């Protein structure tokens, strides 16, 4: 289980997300869907979100490199795993949640969930130490920034976690051609950890966008869903 996080959380964003999944995951699904016109336009008339993690039956497991297999989408083959290793080193992002949505026709879409309870949780630096891994990460980030129309920026400091999530968003949408949305769930008024009000979150993301060079005309922004909700 080296590549996973499992078990019941007692506080913070993992706890808040697990509580939603246990008590009313349909409500959370509606909150997410209602926050994105591009997702609504993609989904079929059932508009169902099929959660793959974190689930109680799976000991609330959070997946890392093996998240592609958990999705159980026919178009994801061993070739996708090989392409991922050419794009990012092993032990990439650990996803707080993953889900699949049905699109019109036979299309499938992916939701990658990142949950936070406080602004401090969004800050992190790159931990890779091997030269080969560092070079691959920097090369892929450069590719992502170029595609999005972002002037070269250092994404490996301070907001690296969001940077690698956006990089995976690019990889799935552009290189694997699988419609994918990155869902940033920001819990407000989480008394189990730290109380962060909506206004604090909004100001914080404004700063993040400026520091990362993200502007209103950047590609992939329609694939990033911002959710602000109190715990259930």
């Amino acid at each position: 289980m080296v590549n996973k996080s499992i078990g019941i959380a007692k506080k913070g964003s993992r706890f808040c997300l697990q509580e939603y999944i246990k008590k009313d995951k349909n409500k959370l699904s509606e909150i997410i869907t209602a926050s994105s016109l591009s997702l609504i336009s993609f989904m079929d008339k059932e508009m169902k979100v099929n959660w793959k993690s974190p689930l109680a039956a799976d000991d609330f497991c959070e997946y890392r490199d093996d998240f592609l297999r958990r999705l159980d989408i026919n178009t994801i083959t061993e070739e996708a795993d090989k392409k991922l290793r050419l794009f990012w080193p092993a032990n990439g992002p650990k996803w707080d949640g993953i889900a699949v949505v049905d699109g019109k026709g036979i299309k499938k879409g992916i939701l990658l969930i990142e949950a936070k309870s406080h602004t401090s949780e969004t800050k992190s630096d790159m931990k890779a130490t091997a030269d080969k891994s560092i070079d691959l990460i920097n090369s892929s980030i450069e590719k992502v920034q170029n595609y999005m129309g972002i002037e070269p920026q250092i994404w490996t400091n301070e907001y690296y976690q969001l940077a690698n999530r956006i990089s995976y968003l690019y990889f799935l949408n552009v290189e694997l051609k699988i419609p994918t949305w990155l869902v940033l769930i920001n819990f407000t008024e989480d008394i189990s950890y730290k109380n962060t009000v909506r206004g604090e979150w909004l100001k914080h993301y404004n700063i993040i966008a400026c520091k990362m060079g993200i502007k209103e005309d950047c590609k992939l922004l329609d694939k990033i869903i911002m959710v602000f909700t109190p715990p259930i």
Side-chain angles (χ1 to χ4, degrees):
M1 303 299 287
V2 175
N3 206 27
K4 303 178 177 68
S5 290
I6 59 174
I8 298 174
K10 299 187 181 300
K11 65 178 182 178
S13 55
R14 286 189 68 232
F15 171 77
C16 292
L17 182 57
Q18 289 178 8
E19 287 294 287
Y20 252 116
I21 296 299
K22 286 191 296 184
K23 295 177 179 178
D24 197 348
K25 63 177 179 287
N26 289 334
K27 180 179 179 179
L28 182 58
S29 298
E30 288 182 357
I31 292 172
I32 292 170
T33 305
S35 301
S36 173
L37 182 57
S38 70
L39 179 58
I40 291 174
S41 301
F42 172 83
M43 296 172 76
D44 67 8
K45 63 182 180 180
E46 298 298 327
M47 300 188 72
K48 184 178 180 181
V49 175
N50 302 297
W51 287 88
K52 301 295 184 177
S53 78
L55 299 176
D58 195 28
D59 200 16
F60 296 107
C61 183
E62 295 177 354
Y63 290 83
R64 203 181 282 267
D65 286 350
D66 46 0
F67 80 99
L68 288 174
R69 293 292 167 215
R70 182 64 178 170
L71 294 169
D72 194 27
I73 296 178
N74 291 335
T75 53
I76 296 178
T77 63
E78 290 184 6
E79 191 64 26
D81 292 319
K82 294 177 182 177
K83 287 182 178 180
L84 179 57
R85 284 291 69 82
L86 294 174
F87 179 78
W88 209 264
N91 288 321
K94 180 181 66 179
W95 300 104
D96 295 328
I98 51 176
V100 174
V101 294
D102 292 325
K104 297 176 178 64
I106 60 173
K107 289 184 178 179
K108 297 281 186 180
I110 300 170
L111 303 183
L112 301 174
I113 315 298
E114 182 67 27
K116 302 296 181 196
S117 282
H118 191 262
T119 58
S120 62
E121 290 184 295
T122 64
K123 296 182 179 181
S124 65
D125 296 334
M126 180 175 66
K127 299 296 192 295
T129 56
D131 289 342
K132 184 177 180 180
S133 295
I134 293 172
D135 289 344
L136 180 56
I137 289 169
N138 285 327
S139 174
S140 293
I141 285 177
E142 181 180 355
K143 185 186 297 184
V144 173
Q145 291 177 349
N146 183 61
Y147 175 82
M148 293 181 69
I150 295 174
E151 293 295 324
Q153 305 283 332
I154 297 175
W155 275 10
T156 51
N157 297 333
E158 194 168 12
Y159 299 115
Y160 172 68
Q161 189 180 86
L162 180 57
N164 62 41
R165 270 62 173 176
I166 292 175
S167 297
Y168 269 63
L169 181 68
Y170 160 86
F171 174 75
L172 287 159
N173 276 291
V174 179
E175 300 206 3
L176 291 190
K177 310 297 183 186
I178 300 173
T180 302
W181 287 260
L182 173 62
V183 184
L184 304 176
I185 301 179
N186 305 283
F187 289 108
T188 60
E189 305 164 42
D190 174 18
I191 59 174
S192 78
Y193 178 50
K194 292 181 180 179
N195 183 0
T196 307
V197 299
R198 187 191 299 258
E200 289 179 75
W201 279 121
L202 295 176
K203 290 178 181 178
H204 183 65
Y205 278 110
N206 179 263
I207 293 171
I208 289 176
C210 290
K211 288 188 174 182
M212 295 183 71
I214 298 172
K215 299 180 180 179
E216 72 278 0
D217 58 349
C218 287
K219 292 181 180 179
L220 290 180
L221 290 190
D222 63 323
K223 297 291 188 179
I224 300 177
I225 303 174
M226 305 285 288
V227 170
F228 303 91
T229 181
I232 192 168

